[in-house]
Amino acid sequence: MIDVCDLKTYYSTGFLCRTEVRAVDGVSFGIKKGETLGLVGESGCGKTTLGRSLLRLIEPTGGRVVFDGTNITALSRKDLRRFRPRMQMIFQDAYASLNPRMRVRESITEPLRIHGLEDRAGIGRRVRELIEMVGLNEEHLNRRPYELSGGQNQRVVLARVLALEPEFIVADEPTAGLDVSVQAQILTLFRDLGRDYHTACLYISHDLGVVRAMSDRVAVMLKGRIVEIGPTADVLDRPCHSYTRRLVAASSADRGFSRPAPCPALPGSPVMVEVQSGHWVEAAAR
Amino acid sequence: MGDALLCVRGLKVGFPTVDGVVKASNAVDLTIQAGETLALLGETGSGKTVLGMAILRLLQPNTRIEGEILYRGRDLLSLPQEEMQKIRGREIAVVLQNSGTSLNPVLRVGDQIAEAITLHRGLKGAEAEAAAVELLERVRIADPARMAREYPHRFSGGMRERALIALALACSPSFLIADEPTRGLDAVTKHEILALFSEINRGRSVLFITHDIEAAATLATRVAVMYAGEIVEIGPVDAVLSSPAHPYTRGLLESLPARGMRPIPGSAPSLIAPPSGCRFFPRCPCSVGRCETEHPGLVPVGPGHCARCMLYD
Ligand SMILES: Nc1ncnc2c1ncn2[C@@H]1O[C@H](COP(=O)(O)OP(=O)(O)OP(=O)(O)O)[C@@H](O)[C@H]1O
Ligand SMILES: Nc1ncnc2c1ncn2[C@@H]1O[C@H](COP(=O)(O)OP(=O)(O)O)[C@@H](O)[C@H]1O
Ligand code: SF4
Ligand SMILES: [Mg+2]
Ligand SMILES: [Mg+2]
């Protein structure tokens, strides 16, 4: 569904002495139809930047993103617009991604119109369906973002995205700020999307418990690079890269889980090594 | 009760909207002791942030507020604006949810912190700047001297949260309200921020609003659980998390991915016209006949542990 090859996105900062922040620094991976790839990593390692670059919400500095056979990094702005509804992103900060003046009803109607749904009754029905799907009710339809709690806004964003029935979703911590019961509801919803509509998904999260429940495969990012990628259970139960091991240890510390199992010794050159079928680790950092 | 720093009594908060009044807080009673950390868990939209904002008197002007909020014996709700301003600066500080919107985007992060330091501690110029860098270092921002000169949009979500904690600490408050401070932090960073909080909360009271049950378990002495504008369970952290009494709390714990990820069926009730009996009745798996019509009060279920449920009447 989506194939990423050596993607790079740099930010340049500073007016006088220009420094380059390599937020995404040569990343390659693929996601199949109906598959969910979990993406974990330190705050500031470039997960959000990667997600935005995939959809060209930021212009990548280099590399290639192929979506359903089309190299979207080479498309003109105009051609890109046709692809927009098929690829959607759910942002980390729900409040910032909603128009503060728009009522919830309008926010959800807008993408339905883009999708070509015209008749009023049909739109009304679909809006009610979507709002219930994400666990809100009709009384929220007339509110504006500042009249809703953080978690409720996040659900509005989700309803907007679901309205477009995209084939690929980048979900940047979509359940941050939701209580765990609503989180469970929304995660189940996501899982059904993958299963019933074969939506491919890049799922960014800091919660390894959530990542474990959601993803078929997991990628671990460190300073703009993917340092480990593989089937979920392999990566989280037999982490090989030292950073993955720290991550797993930190998140299981409070629960008293056992330490990760030892992994095979790796050669010292900066390459990705396949330690098990489909489980790759960057070898240099060890 | 011993040394109550903050005492909320019968707090009701209503927001007028076109469809009616949203009753975001329904007769909330809460006491926070000096030096204790109280974790506030609960449903999205149940009124946790509203409670915190009511204490700080930061709700929009047309909000209807009833009840008492006693801080060191003084009712914050009846203080004049300028008195409240002083308390907000020097006594009670806040780390807000939505960090993206609570740092000023057009000011350098270091300058924002230095400004707060100047305001509250009287340090000026280079001294204040140095103190700001020190605070950034204390919240473990790498290369603090350089980052102090950056604007907030250059910070990642996690870094902004740390900057906000630094900003809140600038006035050495005796009461800190933290609204989801670990949201959006990776496991390693979260671990560090929690460690930071367990340093900060020594000798200071903290109201720790969170969805992260593990974070609550590590930091708090007591936990309160909110549902639809009410506190439905409150008690010592171990009691509430290991033997939850209220059916909502139980449902919440079972929704954790590690405990089966079984969501509570249904959705949150309307806060404009909430159920007249128990507010959890429409979703409760254990309800009895009178739950539909009678509104349960908070009843003791163990030492210092109360639940709002008919089952214990
Ligand atoms: N507009 C920008 N200009 C300069 N640097 C930026 C910009 N946006 C982000 N960065 C930097 O790029 C890096 C990656 O940022 P990004 O927001 O993608 O991280 P993240 O992994 O999503 O972190 P978090 O989980 O904390 O949100 C960070 O070091 C950040 O400071
Ligand atoms: N300004 C407002 N106007 C109307 N309703 C509001 C306003 N602010 C919050 N609410 C409502 O109050 C309830 C509690 O919100 P909040 O305290 O933000 O929830 P949370 O527990 O997630 O922090 C929600 O139902 C929300 O929709
Ligand atoms: S009072 Fe009744 S409906 Fe409410 S939580 Fe208890 S058992 Fe359930
Ligand atoms: Mg991010
Ligand atoms: Mg909140």
Side-chain angles (χ1 to χ4, degrees):
Chain A
M1 191 72 210
I2 192 140
D3 251 301
V4 182
C5 183
D6 200 26
L7 193 71
K8 294 188 174 111
T9 305
Y10 299 164
Y11 296 109
S12 58
T13 69
F15 287 113
L16 296 175
C17 48
R18 284 214 165 270
T19 47
E20 220 175 31
V21 177
R22 304 188 163 198
V24 176
D25 196 13
V27 161
S28 308
F29 62 87
I31 306 177
K32 294 198 283 282
K33 263 195 170 64
E35 186 186 41
T36 296
L37 176 70
L39 182 63
V40 299
E42 197 174 19
S43 306
C45 72
K47 305 179 297 297
T48 304
T49 308
L50 172 60
R52 299 180 71 119
S53 309
L54 289 184
L55 306 189
R56 270 184 68 188
L57 297 171
I58 315 179
E59 286 301 328
T61 314
R64 205 161 29 132
V65 178
V66 177
F67 172 75
D68 201 14
T70 308
N71 180 355
I72 61 164
T73 26
L75 288 182
S76 68
R77 282 266 137 211
K78 195 161 134 272
D79 291 333
L80 185 63
R81 204 167 306 145
R82 277 186 303 117
F83 279 86
R84 277 276 175 256
R86 300 174 63 188
M87 319 184 301
Q88 285 292 310
M89 176 143 181
I90 299 174
F91 295 98
Q92 208 167 3
D93 189 349
Y95 195 80
S97 56
L98 288 170
N99 180 340
R101 280 186 295 273
M102 257 197 208
R103 295 181 194 279
V104 171
R105 186 191 308 281
E106 298 152 29
S107 285
I108 302 176
T109 307
E110 193 187 47
L112 288 174
R113 289 240 166 77
I114 296 175
H115 211 54
L117 195 55
E118 291 294 350
D119 78 298
R120 291 182 69 90
I123 288 182
R125 200 174 332 114
R126 187 77 182 123
V127 166
R128 281 192 299 276
E129 228 171 70
L130 285 163
I131 202 82
E132 271 163 34
M133 218 159 139
V134 296
L136 293 174
N137 54 47
E138 287 189 42
E139 102 182 8
H140 299 112
L141 286 176
N142 288 325
R143 302 236 200 121
R144 296 194 171 89
Y146 70 89
E147 295 174 322
L148 293 171
S149 78
Q152 288 165 335
N153 276 319
Q154 190 60 281
R155 296 200 234 181
V156 174
V157 171
L158 200 68
R160 253 177 80 95
V161 166
L162 295 180
L164 288 169
E165 298 171 27
E167 292 154 68
F168 176 53
I169 299 183
V170 174
D172 193 359
E173 295 187 60
T175 63
L178 299 183
D179 68 71
V180 289
S181 174
V182 175
Q183 169 175 291
Q185 273 173 359
I186 288 183
L187 295 184
T188 320
L189 202 79
F190 261 98
R191 272 214 296 231
D192 296 350
L193 276 181
R195 204 187 48 215
D196 303 339
Y197 299 96
H198 305 290
T199 312
C201 183
L202 179 71
Y203 196 97
I204 304 175
S205 174
H206 285 309
D207 187 327
L208 294 193
V210 168
V211 168
R212 191 186 284 274
M214 291 301 292
S215 340
D216 304 298
R217 287 187 303 140
V218 178
V220 182
M221 206 166 163
L222 179 67
K223 299 201 176 88
R225 302 184 58 84
I226 286 182
V227 295
E228 185 158 0
I229 184 168
T232 304
D234 286 347
V235 173
L236 296 183
D237 296 335
R238 284 177 294 281
C240 289
H241 194 276
S242 56
Y243 178 67
T244 317
R245 295 166 78 85
R246 265 176 63 208
L247 210 57
V248 171
S251 68
S252 54
D254 318 314
R255 288 182 232 142
F257 283 167
S258 56
R259 298 227 131 246
C263 68
L266 299 168
S269 55
V271 287
M272 293 296 280
V273 177
E274 190 169 24
V275 290
Q276 241 178 22
S277 115
H279 182 178
W280 296 78
V281 183
E282 191 181 67
R286 276 175 50 90
Chain B
M1 282 253 251
D3 236 357
L5 182 73
L6 183 90
C7 196
V8 176
R9 287 202 200 123
L11 182 71
K12 290 191 179 182
V13 178
F15 298 104
T17 68
V18 286
D19 296 317
V21 177
V22 178
K23 302 176 195 80
S25 182
N26 186 44
V28 168
D29 291 313
L30 189 69
T31 302
I32 296 175
Q33 311 291 338
E36 101 169 319
T37 297
L38 177 81
L40 189 56
L41 296 173
E43 225 204 358
T44 320
S46 62
K48 305 178 298 296
T49 304
V50 167
L51 175 60
M53 292 303 103
I55 294 171
L56 289 158
R57 270 183 49 192
L58 287 177
L59 295 171
Q60 63 203 66
N62 67 342
T63 312
R64 297 187 200 156
I65 307 179
E66 285 169 49
E68 274 183 337
I69 300 177
L70 301 173
Y71 178 77
R72 297 191 197 277
R74 291 204 292 169
D75 187 6
L76 297 183
L77 291 180
S78 54
L79 282 186
Q81 270 303 338
E82 57 282 14
E83 286 287 305
M84 191 59 216
Q85 197 97 43
K86 275 190 209 153
I87 290 203
R88 246 188 329 250
R90 296 187 197 146
E91 305 260 348
I92 309 181
V94 61
V95 180
L96 281 183
Q97 187 179 25
N98 277 336
S99 57
T101 47
S102 44
L103 281 170
N104 187 339
V106 300
L107 287 180
R108 293 171 206 275
V109 172
D111 292 348
Q112 297 188 46
I113 298 171
E115 194 185 300
I117 290 172
T118 306
L119 198 65
H120 303 305
R121 286 202 238 147
L123 297 182
K124 294 228 165 60
E127 253 185 310
E129 274 164 38
V133 172
E134 211 172 283
L135 272 175
L136 286 176
E137 188 168 15
R138 184 154 169 222
V139 295
R140 312 222 169 78
I141 284 189
D143 201 355
R146 185 172 69 83
M147 293 318 281
R149 290 191 300 273
E150 291 281 10
Y151 292 91
H153 76 273
R154 296 273 167 83
F155 279 46
S156 77
M159 287 149 79
R160 264 181 241 150
E161 204 60 53
R162 291 167 190 238
L164 278 174
I165 296 173
L167 195 58
L169 292 180
C171 64
S172 326
S174 40
F175 181 37
L176 187 64
I177 299 177
D179 195 353
E180 296 188 50
T182 58
R183 161 176 178 186
L185 303 185
D186 64 85
V188 173
T189 313
K190 186 181 100 184
H191 210 63
E192 288 165 9
I193 294 280
L194 289 182
L196 188 65
F197 262 95
S198 62
E199 239 170 70
I200 297 169
N201 71 5
R202 251 172 253 147
R204 185 176 281 148
S205 302
V206 180
L207 178 64
F208 193 82
I209 303 174
T210 187
H211 289 302
D212 187 331
I213 295 174
E214 274 165 39
T218 7
L219 271 187
T221 32
R222 286 194 305 147
V223 185
V225 181
M226 277 191 89
Y227 183 80
E230 297 182 327
I231 291 186
V232 294
E233 182 157 3
I234 184 164
V237 74
D238 294 331
V240 174
L241 296 183
S242 58
S243 42
H246 197 280
Y248 172 70
T249 315
R250 280 189 233 144
L252 199 62
L253 293 173
E254 281 167 13
S255 303
L256 284 170
R259 297 204 196 172
M261 208 166 99
R262 284 186 300 278
I264 303 169
S267 59
S270 156
L271 289 184
I272 293 176
S276 53
C278 171
R279 292 189 165 187
F280 192 53
F281 170 75
R283 307 170 72 185
C284 183
C286 332
S287 61
V288 293
R290 57 199 181 106
C291 300
E292 189 172 2
T293 48
E294 276 176 55
H295 185 254
L298 268 176
V299 292
V301 295
H305 184 181
C306 297
R308 189 182 293 283
C309 175
M310 303 286 182
L311 298 176
Y312 306 94
D313 247 354

